[in-house]
């Protein structure tokens, strides 16, 4: 894969503020911006790196010639550069187009600051997406530190459907200035230049208008350098973009009995999350409990106030013993997500209570289309834990079978006709995805079949996200999933809500959102947890 860098600007704003070096040669943590990008691109197996630089700034061209001749950091660089001043970034891109037709390529400006680890994942994802027919993969971020951000509209599978100068209902992200493109995009670029266009945002709009399959890849914090203060932020940002991965991270996989037909999927999401941390270990919740004394000694060796700020547990555990262990660690200062409090709060009877108290949409108590009787003291562990009944007499009979199994906490809800939608989210990060259960055969117990094939009734996915986020916040469960029924009139009810799903349909994106959520937790005041802060905000809005 090729990489291209636009470095043809004159850095006038930096110069006005007293920065004497050309922007490409400005240093961030002791490394020139142009060198940083070339190093990162070489780490992603670049077949060629193409750069355009300003003909009025000879220092940049001289530096590139040195790299071309002698390499960078002792490594040969397949570098080609063009010396030409251009009126805009789009014109700079246009000047490079002849060198980019034969391979997919990633284009960025010289001053784009991003997490190197995330960028590597982005490149790998782009390669996979190309094989699946995607024409472009655009880096996006929900971190806004731009004077004139370009808002990006995406659907529920992260396909880009619009670019906007102002926020829209579907634009939770802005453009990160990182463009993964293929040859067809160059024809559109040429057409834009012929029409007199000069802004990259209009080129991106043209890609959408042409009907190409363009997808978005979420990155955490991405920013560029336009002012002298941005250099300071970049110095801090490069050091802290992955701050929460500095230190040990324990990931706990839930026991098989709490993971019916989903053990491999649960393990897969933990493995994906673990790859984002420097020192991560996955352990089963049974082993976690058996080895609790080891972790207890580790915490005992530290005072409560000085527990390593970057030591955390990411947990799927649900057993009472494991939750008791986690609670003890939390009381001594350990950061745990999802917390023991949150997991316990997801007891079905409590979820129903919280939904009623906060006027969230849940199924009615009575109806003409049958009922569902559900185990309410814990998540379903077998097909017998969720039963359909045709009438209330059958409900009473089923309840008695639950009692015979030792389960006295049950809920009964009227059956609701409509499309079954499964949703997944990471509260506080804008990550939210939903899928129609009838689109494939993936299911735990097959109960969704009673609603039949989806009719795709139109509904407000943003409203569903708002309600799901509020419920996650109230339950203190940032990693969440659930099920909703979309009715013919567009209204919906939430019929199920769970802590830490396997995110199997959106695993890579979810892992990044989980990583970002841990970072948010790290950044919070030690006196006020993120969940407490969020709960206060919900209370203030109610």
């Amino acid at each position: 894969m090729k990489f291209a860098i636009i470095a043809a600007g004159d850095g006038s704003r930096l110069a006005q503020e007293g920065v004497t070096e050309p922007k490409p040669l400005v240093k961030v943590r002791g490394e020139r911006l142009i060198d940083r990008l070339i190093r990162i691109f070489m780490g992603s197996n670049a077949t060629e790196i193409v750069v355009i630089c300003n003909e009025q700034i000879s220092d940049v061209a001289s530096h590139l010639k040195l790299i071309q001749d002698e390499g960078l950091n002792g490594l040969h660089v397949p570098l080609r550069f063009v010396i030409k001043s251009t009126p805009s970034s789009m014109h700079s891109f246009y000047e490079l187009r002849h060198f980019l037709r034969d391979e997919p390529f990633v284009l960025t400006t010289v001053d784009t600051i991003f997490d190197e680890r995330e960028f590597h994942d982005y490149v790998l994802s782009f390669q996979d997406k190309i094989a699946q027919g995607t024409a472009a993969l655009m880096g996006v971020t929900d971190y806004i530190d731009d004077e004139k951000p370009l808002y990006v509209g995406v659907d529920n599978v992260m396909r880009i459907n619009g670019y906007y100068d102002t926020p829209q209902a579907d634009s939770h992200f802005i453009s990160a200035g990182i463009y993964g493109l293929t040859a067809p995009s160059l024809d559109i670029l040429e057409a834009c230049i012929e029409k007199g266009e000069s802004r990259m945002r209009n080129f991106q709009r043209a890609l959408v208008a042409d009907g190409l399959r363009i997808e978005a890849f979420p990155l955490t914090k991405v920013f560029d350098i336009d002012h002298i203060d941005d250099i300071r932020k970049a110095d801090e940002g490069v050091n802290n973009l992955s701050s929460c991965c500095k230190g040990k991270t324990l990931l706990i996989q839930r026991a098989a009995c709490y993971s019916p037909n989903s053990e491999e999927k649960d393990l897969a999401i933990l493995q994906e999350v673990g790859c984002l941390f420097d020192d991560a270990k996955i352990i089963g919740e049974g082993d976690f409990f058996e080895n609790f004394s080891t972790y207890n000694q580790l915490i005992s060796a530290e005072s409560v106030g000085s527990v390593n700020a970057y030591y955390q547990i990411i947990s799927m555990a649900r057993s009472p013993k494991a939750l008791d262990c986690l609670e003890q660690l939390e009381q001594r200062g350990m950061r745990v997500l999802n917390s023991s409090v949150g997991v316990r709060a997801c007891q079905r009877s409590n979820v129903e209570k919280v939904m009623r108290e906060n006027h969230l949409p849940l199924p009615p108590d009575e109806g003409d289309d049958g009922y569902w009787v559900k185990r309410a003291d814990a998540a379903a562990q077998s097909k017998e834990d969720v039963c359909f009944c045709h009438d209330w007499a059958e409900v009473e009979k089923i309840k008695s079978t639950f009692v015979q199994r030792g389960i006295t906490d049950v809920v009964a809800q009227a059956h609701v006709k409509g499309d079954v939608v499964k949703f997944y989210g990471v509260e506080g990060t804008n990550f939210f995805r939903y899928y129609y259960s009838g689109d494939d055969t993936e299911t735990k117990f097959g109960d969704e079949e009673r609603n039949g094939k989806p009719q795709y009734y139109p509904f407000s996915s943003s409203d569903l996200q708002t309600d799901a986020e509020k419920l996650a916040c109230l339950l203190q469960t940032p990693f969440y999933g659930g099920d909703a029924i979309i009715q013919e009139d567009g209204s919906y009810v939430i019929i199920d809500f769970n802590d830490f799903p396997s995110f199997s349909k959106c695993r890579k994106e979810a892992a990044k959102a989980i990583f970002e959520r841990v970072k948010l937790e790290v950044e919070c005041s030690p006196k006020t947890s993120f969940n407490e802060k969020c709960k206060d905000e919900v209370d203030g809005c109610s």
Side-chain angles (χ1 to χ4, degrees), residues 522-535:
V522 170
E523 293 165 2
C524 281
S525 164
K527 294 182 180 179
T528 305
S529 74
F530 188 86
N531 279 317
E532 288 170 343
K533 179 180 176 184
C534 181
K535 194 171 188 304

Side-chain angles (χ1 to χ4, degrees), residues 148-154 160-175 201 205 208:
K148 296 180 180 179
L150 177 62
Y151 295 89
V152 183
V154 297
I160 295 175
N161 51 36
Y163 287 94
Y164 316 105
D165 293 326
T166 57
Q168 306 293 315
D170 61 350
S171 60
H172 304 302
F173 302 100
I174 65 169
S175 173
R201 61 183 58 196
R205 288 173 175 137
V208 174

Side-chain angles (χ1 to χ4, degrees), residues 511-523:
K512 293 180 185 299
I514 290 169
F515 179 78
E516 177 66 14
R517 185 58 174 78
V518 175
K519 284 176 61 179
L520 289 173
E521 195 78 15
V522 170
E523 293 165 2

Side-chain angles (χ1 to χ4, degrees), residues 57-76:
I57 307 175
S58 59
D59 288 353
V60 177
S62 298
H63 182 71
L64 290 172
K65 183 66 169 68
L66 187 64
I67 294 175
Q68 193 176 57
D69 293 342
E70 300 182 9
L72 180 68
N73 302 326
L75 182 69
H76 170 70

Side-chain angles (χ1 to χ4, degrees), residues 1 103-105 123-137 180-182:
M1 182 175 293
E103 287 185 46
F105 60 93
V123 173
L124 293 177
S125 179
F126 183 33
Q127 291 170 334
D128 291 340
K129 294 287 187 181
I130 292 169
Q132 299 168 17
T134 298
L137 184 65
L181 300 167
T182 52

Side-chain angles (χ1 to χ4, degrees), residues 3 37-46 49 75 119-120 123:
F3 294 83
L37 286 181
I38 291 173
R39 174 181 56 77
I40 293 171
F41 294 165
M42 290 300 293
S44 293
N45 300 316
I49 299 173
L75 182 69
F119 183 81
H120 179 69
V123 173

